[in-house]
Amino acid sequence: MPKKVEFEGRKIAPRGHFVVYVGIEMKRFVVPLSFLKNPLFRQLLDKAAEEYGFDNTTRITLPCDEATFHSLIAILSK
């Protein structure tokens, strides 16, 4: 897992990564930008856009539970 970086009191993702929030607890995940090229991850982002819209400018929230997201990460990391 990449090291988290503090920037003016906020945690920001390291270069080449971005942050998403998942599940009821809104758990924070730092994921590589390369995930954006994967059709499965893009489908999840499309679903997030349908469910939450594009008005949320503060964070990317994905509409799935943590267990499902961990499974997706395992698949995408291979």
Side-chain angles (χ1 to χ4, degrees):
M1 177 69 69
K3 183 180 175 186
K4 295 177 184 163
V5 179
E6 285 285 330
F7 179 74
E8 296 180 10
R10 298 179 309 171
K11 292 180 182 175
I12 61 170
R15 180 173 287 201
H17 294 78
F18 65 104
V19 175
V20 297
Y21 294 86
V22 175
I24 296 171
E25 302 278 327
M26 297 300 269
K27 184 163 181 182
R28 183 180 190 271
F29 288 87
V30 178
V31 296
L33 288 173
S34 62
F35 281 12
L36 294 173
K37 295 178 183 176
N38 186 285
L40 288 174
F41 196 83
R42 284 200 311 254
Q43 281 182 326
L44 188 55
L45 288 174
D46 289 342
K47 186 174 179 186
E50 289 173 15
E51 194 162 319
Y52 305 120
F54 290 106
D55 296 337
N56 188 352
T57 59
T58 58
R59 62 175 55 177
I60 299 171
T61 305
L62 300 178
C64 66
D65 58 71
E66 280 186 55
T68 302
F69 192 69
H70 279 287
S71 296
L72 179 62
I73 288 173
I75 292 167
L76 297 179
S77 295
K78 290 183 179 181

